[in-house]
Amino acid sequence: MPEISPTIGIGELARRAGCKPETVRYYERIGLVGDASRTEGGQRRYGEEAVRRLTFIRHARDFGFSVDAVRELLAMSDQPDMPCQEVDAVAKHHLEEVESRLQRLSALRDELRRMVSQCAGGKVESCRIIEVLSDHQLCISEAAHKGAHDLG
Amino acid sequence: MPEISPTIGIGELARRAGCKPETVRYYERIGLVGDASRTEGGQRRYGEEAVRRLTFIRHARDFGFSVDAVRELLAMSDQPDMPCQEVDAVAKHHLEEVESRLQRLSALRDELRRMVSQCAGGKVESCRIIEVLSDHQLCISEAAHKGAHDLG
DNA sequence: CTTGAACCTGTAGTTGCTACAGGGATTATG
DNA sequence: CATAATCCCTGTAGCAACTACAGGTTCAAG
């Protein structure tokens, strides 16, 4: 598979992968993508392979993988003969994190909903939102709404 | 209500509000909390009001409000006679953000689950995780798993 | 050959803290 | 009163993961 000579500039690469030129240069600086070939004038030129790699990176980032995790995934995908247990492990670990974030976030949503529904347009003085946020006993994701008003 | 003279140090204040002294000094620097009174030796001393304010800030932050949003909330709570429409608006806006984050996150979770379940221990070559992340068509939260391999 | 868009490097800013280094203040104990 | 153990001070630099300039160069089209 003869890689045709790199012809697209950093702007188009970025556009096709869904990010900005600055981001590409940043990824180059931190070594997520290799150094691009350059024109005589010193401008970067890329081929399709770069588009694929950058797209991979952007998707992984959109999926919430950290740059370090992406680095691992890239290293693994560069070795196609490796069994994919490690890939799986990275994804599983990430899945766990996502699930715990989801739990906390939905607890937060419930609390915010209750706040909003209880703020019926009175004065700030008696605003439940302010009150809840001021509450000393409040502890997010547990006991957030049980026995809130039996103190003081 | 006579505010008794400020007696606690920054460490205890931080502990009681659930953060670190550095964070308190940071909040002072960015103007979220006012300048504390000082001992002759120059150490900060706080009273109960500071504990309440800092607790409020910490809770709001834990709830995911940005520092700017907290600033708004504080400004509003400092004016108890104001109708709480604006407080409500800030909370509602935040609720919307949380709900959209939740949606994206749960789409992500579904995708990760599918990834993980489809990676049955083959080689990286044929790993669905890598494949999905490389997929040009992939668009998070829609069409994430249809028609993946038709690009040269 | 000229224009204008795209590109270059390097540095600094963003958010919300956290972690030092290298001192001084306060407090508890002997 | 001396001393040790904490606490606290300022100032700076670091973290993630970019983003946004400034001030200059190159490229592609007309």
Side-chain angles (χ1 to χ4, degrees):
Chain A
M1 47 200 74
E3 197 58 68
I4 56 170
S5 63
T7 50
I8 72 176
I10 196 170
E12 196 184 335
L13 169 65
R15 195 186 46 70
R16 286 179 56 186
C19 66
K20 304 189 179 179
E22 285 93 338
T23 309
V24 179
R25 285 191 280 261
Y26 170 70
Y27 286 162
E28 186 184 294
R29 216 163 52 236
I30 66 172
L32 261 197
V33 303
D35 291 4
S37 56
R38 304 276 186 137
T39 63
E40 285 188 14
Q43 298 196 357
R44 292 169 181 83
R45 283 298 177 271
Y46 300 91
E48 290 306 312
E49 175 54 29
V51 177
R52 277 192 294 273
R53 193 178 179 90
L54 187 56
T55 302
F56 179 97
I57 295 170
R58 286 312 311 166
H59 285 163
R61 295 283 305 117
D62 286 345
F63 269 64
F65 289 94
S66 71
V67 163
D68 274 358
V70 176
R71 219 186 283 273
E72 284 181 59
L73 290 172
L74 280 171
M76 290 186 263
S77 74
D78 286 343
Q79 303 182 10
D81 283 341
M82 207 177 74
C84 67
Q85 288 176 5
E86 289 183 46
V87 178
D88 195 41
V90 172
K92 268 185 181 143
H93 179 72
H94 189 55
L95 175 58
E96 278 164 31
E97 275 178 8
V98 166
E99 283 180 331
S100 113
R101 259 198 280 168
L102 259 173
Q103 283 198 354
R104 277 175 291 142
L105 211 54
S106 71
L108 167 55
R109 181 202 46 201
D110 294 347
E111 201 53 42
L112 280 170
R113 276 190 183 153
R114 192 166 31 246
M115 276 186 192
V116 167
S117 73
Q118 289 186 355
C119 172
K123 304 240 170 153
V124 167
E125 217 163 17
S126 58
C127 180
R128 278 289 296 160
I129 296 172
I130 299 280
E131 205 175 309
V132 168
L133 292 176
S134 302
D135 186 354
H136 244 240
Q137 304 311 115
L138 182 134
C139 178
I140 197 164
S141 88
E142 62 171 86
H145 45 97
K146 58 145 202 258
H149 36 73
D150 57 339
L151 49 97
Chain B
M1 45 197 73
E3 199 54 72
I4 56 171
S5 63
T7 50
I8 71 177
I10 196 169
E12 196 184 336
L13 169 65
R15 195 186 47 69
R16 286 178 57 185
C19 65
K20 304 189 178 179
E22 284 94 338
T23 309
V24 179
R25 285 190 280 260
Y26 170 69
Y27 287 161
E28 185 183 294
R29 216 163 51 237
I30 66 170
L32 262 196
V33 303
D35 293 2
S37 56
R38 304 276 187 139
T39 63
E40 286 188 13
Q43 299 196 355
R44 291 170 182 82
R45 284 296 178 273
Y46 299 91
E48 291 306 313
E49 176 54 28
V51 177
R52 276 191 296 273
R53 193 177 180 90
L54 187 56
T55 301
F56 179 96
I57 295 170
R58 287 311 311 165
H59 286 164
R61 296 283 304 120
D62 286 346
F63 270 64
F65 289 94
S66 72
V67 163
D68 273 359
V70 175
R71 217 186 285 274
E72 283 181 60
L73 289 172
L74 280 170
M76 290 186 263
S77 75
D78 285 344
Q79 303 182 11
D81 283 341
M82 207 176 74
C84 67
Q85 289 175 4
E86 290 183 44
V87 178
D88 196 40
V90 172
K92 269 184 180 144
H93 178 71
H94 190 55
L95 176 58
E96 276 164 32
E97 274 178 9
V98 166
E99 284 181 329
S100 111
R101 261 198 279 169
L102 260 174
Q103 282 199 353
R104 277 175 291 142
L105 211 54
S106 70
L108 168 55
R109 181 201 48 200
D110 295 346
E111 201 54 41
L112 280 170
R113 275 189 183 153
R114 191 164 36 241
M115 278 185 191
V116 167
S117 72
Q118 290 186 354
C119 172
K123 305 243 168 146
V124 167
E125 217 163 18
S126 58
C127 181
R128 277 290 295 161
I129 296 171
I130 298 282
E131 205 175 311
V132 169
L133 292 177
S134 303
D135 186 356
H136 243 239
Q137 307 310 115
L138 183 136
C139 177
I140 197 163
S141 89
E142 61 172 269
H145 43 96
K146 58 150 198 254
H149 35 73
D150 58 337
L151 48 97

